[in-house]
Amino acid sequence: MACLEGLIRQRAAQGEVRLKQALGVLFVGSLVRGYLPQTWAVITEAEVVNIQADVDGTIRVRGGPAQARDGEIRIAHDLLADGMRTGNRPHRDSYQVTFLSDKGKAAFDYLRGSFGL
């Protein structure tokens, strides 16, 4: 069942608020802006969802593959859905994260908890 896009949209809306707040703080904003834009793919056996954050802090979520990205997360659909719904984080060895840019690793380390990882 393809449901992650909706769950990720909810989390992305919350993340967008925090990201825009961080961008509004003088020193922090310039630091954070250096890691933007970012594009990530969440890949499960049921669907692919892309998360894009632009330099203004706007986060967009859409289904389907993205050509260029900073990282990707491969995880079982039910494992991620459960983690996002309940807060039960899956074991680190139960999913694979691939960093496709240096800024991707920094962003993942900062945001992983937002997606139940």
Side-chain angles (χ1 to χ4, degrees):
M1 177 166 87
C3 68
L4 289 179
E5 188 172 345
L7 289 171
I8 291 173
R9 278 186 197 284
Q10 292 172 357
R11 296 292 176 101
Q14 296 166 0
E16 183 174 310
V17 169
R18 288 192 325 227
L19 180 56
K20 287 185 176 189
Q21 288 173 342
L23 289 171
V25 177
L26 186 60
F27 177 73
V28 174
S30 63
L31 181 67
V32 170
R33 194 168 271 109
Y35 290 98
L36 297 174
Q38 285 266 340
T39 300
W40 276 78
V42 178
I43 304 166
T44 72
E45 70 281 4
E47 62 190 304
V48 176
V49 178
N50 288 287
I51 306 162
Q52 299 173 312
D54 67 21
V55 295
D56 297 319
T58 301
I59 299 177
R60 292 178 180 83
V61 177
R62 37 183 177 157
Q67 291 184 354
R69 56 189 179 264
D70 296 287
E72 61 185 32
I73 301 166
R74 293 182 182 271
I75 187 169
H77 177 275
D78 292 345
L79 193 61
L80 181 57
D82 179 64
M84 291 180 71
R85 286 185 183 124
T86 66
N88 295 328
R89 291 184 178 195
H91 292 283
R92 176 61 183 102
D93 60 352
S94 64
Y95 59 92
Q96 177 186 1
V97 178
T98 303
F99 304 110
L100 302 170
S101 72
D102 291 337
K103 66 181 185 175
K105 180 172 181 357
F108 178 76
D109 290 342
Y110 180 73
L111 294 171
R112 67 191 286 164
S114 297
F115 294 96
L117 298 175

